[in-house]
Amino acid sequence: MSKGWLGIIVVGLGIAVIVALFSPWASSHPDGLEKVAEDKEFIGEAEDAPYEIIPDYTFPGVENEKVATILSGLVGIVIVAALGFGFAFLMKATRRRNGGSHNPGAG
Amino acid sequence: MLYIPIPAREIPDVPGLHIPDGFVSLPVSLIGWAITIAVIALAVKKTNTEMGEKAAPLMGVLAAFIFAGQMINFPVAGGTSGHLLGGTLAAILVGPWAAVIVMTAVVGVQALIFQDGGLVVLGTNILNMGILTAFLGYGIFRAVTGVIAGPTGRLAGSFSGAWLTVMAAATLTSVQLALSGTSALDVALPAMLGVHALIGVGEGLITAAAIALVVAARPDLIERSDGSRTMSPEVSA
């Protein structure tokens, strides 16, 4: 992977982390579907999740609510980024193994 | 970035268009799963054979940015908030098939780890927020940039694509609620469209700004983002 790509990854993930740092100050108003569900009185139909890992974007066991929210955002960023990069890597690897690359410069 | 400095109460229990379990009937959920699984399988195949070199590293970055962006609820009128969906943004940059994978990762992790959106209804949520938005947003962006060249076309295409995908996702969600007997279509649809017409403006602004930023920093990313075709609106200009 060329140097340019490393820059994109670092800057892109950096922006995502900065956005996550703002998450504790996100609007606390009910949003689209929730507002409609309240107004039209079907909010009560919602069922609780069968298990909880990081519910409400609040990292469990962290006293400070803002820190807990930011921490949950960072955890999420790491997981989804790993899935995205992992998938792309896997696709590249299988393509190379199958010899089906139309991108001779790959790698 | 849009935010207001109010200390967060617990993030809403029913955020964005994330449908919780209980709102949608089992048959509707199963149809959602069937369509979503079929599209994901096709998306894996398509990205494996067609994904451009430029799309690959962007997938992780986009997933991270969209996940973070979805945490930022911005206020709209009437004591309501909304947040980015991101399907249009992802599709413009990496093409609709890779965007489906990115959105599946985001919406899947939100449901499995963050209890945001139900598990039974996860297929439906991926369909509404990931698949519909990726293909519709991509199609609108392509159509608009095909007619209007250069930065104006990109701005118009990304804004209108993003806005329309939010409206389409709100419509599809309303139809699913109606089919499930949760809320009649003539009740849910006008309410959903009214709220999301405003939320869509936020989606449009963020998407257009992000695309403009990417073009300013790395114009090569957007010109051959799908790896197979060259968009190059400048050529036709």
Side-chain angles (χ1 to χ4, degrees), chain A residues 24-28 65-66, chain B residues 4-10:
Chain A
W25 292 276
S27 170
S28 56
E65 215 174 274
K66 286 185 173 65
Chain B
I4 52 166
I6 293 176
R9 90 167 140 91
E10 270 64 28

Side-chain angles (χ1 to χ4, degrees), chain A residues 72-93:
Chain A
S72 78
L74 297 180
V75 169
I77 285 173
V78 169
I79 296 172
V80 297
L83 287 173
F85 290 130
F87 178 85
F89 180 81
L90 204 70
M91 288 298 107
K92 216 169 163 180

Side-chain angles (χ1 to χ4, degrees), chain A:
Chain A
M1 199 167 290
S2 69
K3 233 179 174 178
W5 281 114
L6 195 64
I8 285 171
I9 290 169
V10 169
V11 171
L13 292 183
I15 292 172
V17 168
I18 290 168
V19 171
L21 294 179
F22 282 103
S23 60
W25 292 276
S27 170
S28 56
H29 290 307
D31 62 15
L33 178 60
E34 185 185 31
K35 176 73 173 165
V36 171
E38 284 174 359
D39 290 350
K40 305 305 173 193
E41 294 171 346
F42 58 89
I43 190 86
E45 306 277 322
E47 291 165 8
D48 286 333
Y51 66 88
E52 292 187 334
I53 297 177
I54 311 180
D56 298 329
Y57 296 93
T58 306
F59 201 86
V62 178
E63 197 94 347
N64 186 316
E65 215 174 274
K66 286 185 173 65
V67 175
T69 301
I70 292 171
L71 208 55
S72 78
L74 297 180
V75 169
I77 285 173
V78 169
I79 296 172
V80 297
L83 287 173
F85 290 130
F87 178 85
F89 180 81
L90 204 70
M91 288 298 107
K92 216 169 163 180
T94 53
R95 198 190 307 180
R96 194 177 302 143
R97 200 178 53 216
N98 298 338
S101 176
H102 56 223
N103 245 318

Side-chain angles (χ1 to χ4, degrees), chain A residues 26-27 29 31, chain B residues 2-3 11-12 16 69-75 81-83:
Chain A
S27 170
H29 290 307
D31 62 15
Chain B
L2 293 157
Y3 70 98
I11 300 290
Q70 290 207 3
M71 287 183 75
I72 308 294
N73 281 62
F74 49 83
S81 71
H83 64 65

